[in-house]
Amino acid sequence: MLNQDTKKILSLAVPAALSNFLDIVQVLVDMIMLGRVSPSAIASAGISMQFLGLLYAMMATFSVGTSVVISRYIGAKQYSQANKTAFSISVFSLLLSIPFTILGFFFSKYIFMFMAGSDEVIRLGQEYFSILALTFPVLFMEMAIYSAFNAAGDTKTPLKIVIVANIINTVLAYGLIFGNFGFPRLEVKGAAIATAISYYISFFMYLYVINSKHSKIRFEFEFLLEEVKKILKIGIPSGFERTLTYFSFLLFVKIIADYGIYTLAGYHVGLRIEGLAFMPGFGFTIAAMTLVGQSLGSNNPQQAEVYAKEIIKIASIFMGLMGVVMVIFPEYLAMVFTNDKKTIEEASLYLRIVGLTQIPLAIGFVLSGVLRGAGATKTTLYINTFSLWVLRIIPAYILSKIFGNILFVYLAMFLETYLKAAILWYFFKKGDWKKIKV
């Protein structure tokens, strides 16, 4: 029988995890369809998604701060202030999106000239990304509203919205890419249009809900500049951290790429599979941020610590079980993505190693969420940046040059995951995060 704390944690974490999972599914569906058009089509969309990933990393500048500030107000039962803050950060995120929209629409060609040598990929990529850029205003605002819903303890509404958006995107993409259902065959342009329409529909659904009477968080139309400043003060370190993390992963891929196409392909197959294991981790991170923020907002730091420890236990069980599957059945998992024997062997090596890191990875996910939820975003910036660069990237590069064996690169990753979990645990037990004023 589940206790009340466990039920509350799962009610937040499971919908959040499913929302993240469905976001990945939407991208995979588009990529699978474009894979049937041409290699250039899938390459242009793939590069676009890489830059969109960087944009999402930058959005942490206001999304994390929004979660922290609004969860505190919800915990303190200052609902009007929470509502005004949600409106204020949504307006700010709209203004922030404008330069990115202009750059994406008018200068996307140069992005693809830098990333791709093929004229066809450059042409298709510009076509795809310029359409996608027109969605940036709603993407930025939606991220702010999504964070506000999570902070209020409502992760079910975002899940319902992403389900509807996914269905719309899949149907439209199938019609517009291949010319089905009476639509013209637009291929890459069709994929971009389908994605853009689904993004706008998703945004308008958020607007409808947040202005309804039954929503846990609602817009109150008063712009509070001080609340925006407060959010940015907390959020800028997180945005910087996630952007650095994004680039560090690109550099890690570069180290792996030196071992050849099969190793690189195996790594990407393994990473896709591991990404499914990340979903519970993301869900529990959101649960940790929300419950810790609300507990501290209600001046109950002891309850915040109780929630944190309980979330660690549950997340470790979920991700630990997934790790067992990765260690025992890696070949069968890899065969879902490829039938190339050498690629399966390389993916299996990666999966066996990361399978053994799933529990410390779960601890790292949750404790990062705890510290961010408390407002200790500078602490997570320092820890995660130090860990990725000093404990992973640099050792991986050195070991790679000394031994010339991919196993030692993965060994650096393995050790870094354990060491980072230990460092985060030290700062968690130290307890300074309980005293942060927001």
Side-chain angles (χ1 to χ4, degrees):
M1 191 71 178
L2 300 177
N3 61 42
Q4 285 302 113
D5 285 348
T6 302
K7 287 180 180 177
K8 192 169 186 178
I9 291 164
L10 291 175
S11 71
L12 289 170
V14 172
L18 288 173
S19 294
N20 278 287
F21 172 73
L22 290 173
D23 282 336
I24 290 176
V25 167
Q26 179 174 331
V27 174
L28 286 176
V29 167
D30 285 357
M31 297 293 275
I32 289 168
M33 290 187 193
L34 288 173
R36 275 128 181 97
V37 174
S38 70
S40 296
I42 197 169
S44 62
I47 293 171
S48 296
M49 288 301 110
Q50 283 188 328
F51 278 94
L52 197 61
L54 178 60
L55 202 63
Y56 274 112
M58 293 177 177
M59 287 183 198
T61 299
F62 59 84
S63 66
V64 171
T66 299
S67 294
V68 173
V69 173
I70 290 181
S71 65
R72 290 279 185 121
Y73 284 136
I74 295 294
K77 302 189 187 306
Q78 297 179 26
Y79 301 118
S80 179
Q81 195 72 6
N83 292 338
K84 291 174 184 176
T85 301
F87 172 73
S88 301
I89 196 60
S90 297
V91 172
F92 174 81
S93 64
L94 173 63
L95 297 174
L96 186 65
S97 73
I98 294 172
F100 291 100
T101 304
I102 293 170
L103 287 171
F105 186 78
F106 291 105
F107 302 101
S108 59
K109 176 182 178 181
Y110 300 101
I111 293 173
F112 288 89
M113 287 174 67
F114 174 74
M115 291 292 291
S118 164
D119 290 341
E120 181 70 1
V121 172
I122 293 170
R123 182 184 69 80
L124 292 175
Q126 182 183 14
E127 191 175 81
Y128 186 93
F129 199 76
S130 59
I131 294 172
L132 213 60
L134 297 175
T135 69
F136 290 173
V138 297
L139 279 181
F140 273 68
M141 288 187 72
E142 186 175 307
M143 179 61 78
I145 298 170
Y146 167 79
S147 301
F149 272 107
N150 287 339
D154 182 2
T155 56
K156 291 178 182 176
T157 294
L159 174 60
K160 293 173 184 176
I161 290 174
V162 78
I163 288 172
V164 175
N166 264 26
I167 293 170
I168 291 169
N169 177 74
T170 301
V171 173
L172 285 176
Y174 183 67
L176 289 167
I177 291 173
F178 302 115
N180 295 314
F181 308 132
F183 290 110
R185 182 182 174 95
L186 299 177
E187 298 184 348
V188 169
K189 184 184 286 187
I193 292 171
T195 300
I197 291 172
S198 70
Y199 283 168
Y200 270 92
I201 290 174
S202 171
F203 170 70
F204 284 117
M205 284 192 288
Y206 270 109
L207 275 189
Y208 173 79
V209 175
I210 203 168
N211 286 297
S212 68
K213 293 180 180 179
H214 304 295
S215 179
K216 287 187 177 182
I217 190 84
R218 298 170 63 189
F219 275 164
E220 289 191 26
F221 299 95
E222 182 179 345
F223 185 82
L224 303 176
L225 183 59
E226 286 305 310
E227 294 301 321
V228 173
K229 289 179 180 178
K230 190 186 295 184
I231 286 170
L232 292 179
K233 183 180 178 182
I234 295 166
I236 285 174
S238 284
F240 191 51
E241 174 198 332
R242 292 192 184 180
T243 303
L244 283 175
T245 300
Y246 185 86
F247 283 113
S248 72
F249 277 121
L250 290 180
L251 189 55
F252 193 68
V253 171
K254 176 66 177 70
I255 294 172
I256 293 169
D258 290 341
Y259 287 90
I261 187 66
Y262 290 109
T263 300
L264 183 60
Y267 170 74
H268 278 296
V269 168
L271 199 62
R272 284 182 187 177
I273 294 165
E274 189 190 14
L276 298 176
F278 282 177
M279 292 307 102
F282 289 139
F284 289 117
T285 299
I286 289 172
M289 288 180 63
T290 301
L291 294 174
V292 165
Q294 290 182 1
S295 298
L296 294 177
S298 62
N299 293 315
N300 194 345
Q302 289 76 25
Q303 184 61 49
E305 186 168 350
V306 168
Y307 276 133
K309 289 179 178 177
E310 188 67 20
I311 296 170
I312 287 172
K313 291 177 186 175
I314 301 169
S316 296
I317 292 170
F318 269 81
M319 293 184 68
L321 289 173
M322 290 187 169
V324 170
V325 174
M326 281 188 259
V327 171
I328 298 175
F329 306 110
E331 294 89 357
Y332 296 101
L333 296 172
M335 284 166 62
V336 174
F337 291 88
T338 181
N339 57 8
D340 183 82
K341 185 178 178 182
K342 183 63 176 171
T343 302
I344 291 171
E345 288 176 3
E346 295 289 348
S348 297
L349 173 64
Y350 176 81
L351 287 170
R352 284 197 173 96
I353 292 171
V354 296
L356 297 172
T357 68
Q358 291 306 297
I359 290 177
L361 193 63
I363 294 169
F365 270 129
V366 174
L367 291 181
S368 290
V370 169
L371 294 175
R372 290 190 191 109
T377 49
K378 287 184 180 178
T379 302
T380 57
L381 167 63
Y382 299 146
I383 292 172
N384 288 321
T385 302
F386 170 81
S387 181
L388 277 171
W389 288 91
V390 178
L391 301 180
R392 179 183 292 202
I393 302 293
I394 295 174
Y397 178 78
I398 293 171
L399 291 171
S400 177
K401 293 301 179 184
I402 293 173
F403 296 102
N405 189 326
I406 190 64
L407 181 62
F408 288 92
V409 175
Y410 292 156
L411 178 63
M413 177 187 68
F414 176 91
L415 293 173
E416 182 264 341
T417 306
Y418 277 86
L419 289 171
K420 182 165 72 174
I423 294 168
L424 286 165
W425 180 257
Y426 168 78
F427 280 95
F428 170 71
K429 291 300 291 180
K430 194 176 177 184
D432 292 346
W433 56 273
K434 300 176 190 175
K435 305 168 189 174
I436 295 174
K437 301 295 180 185
V438 172

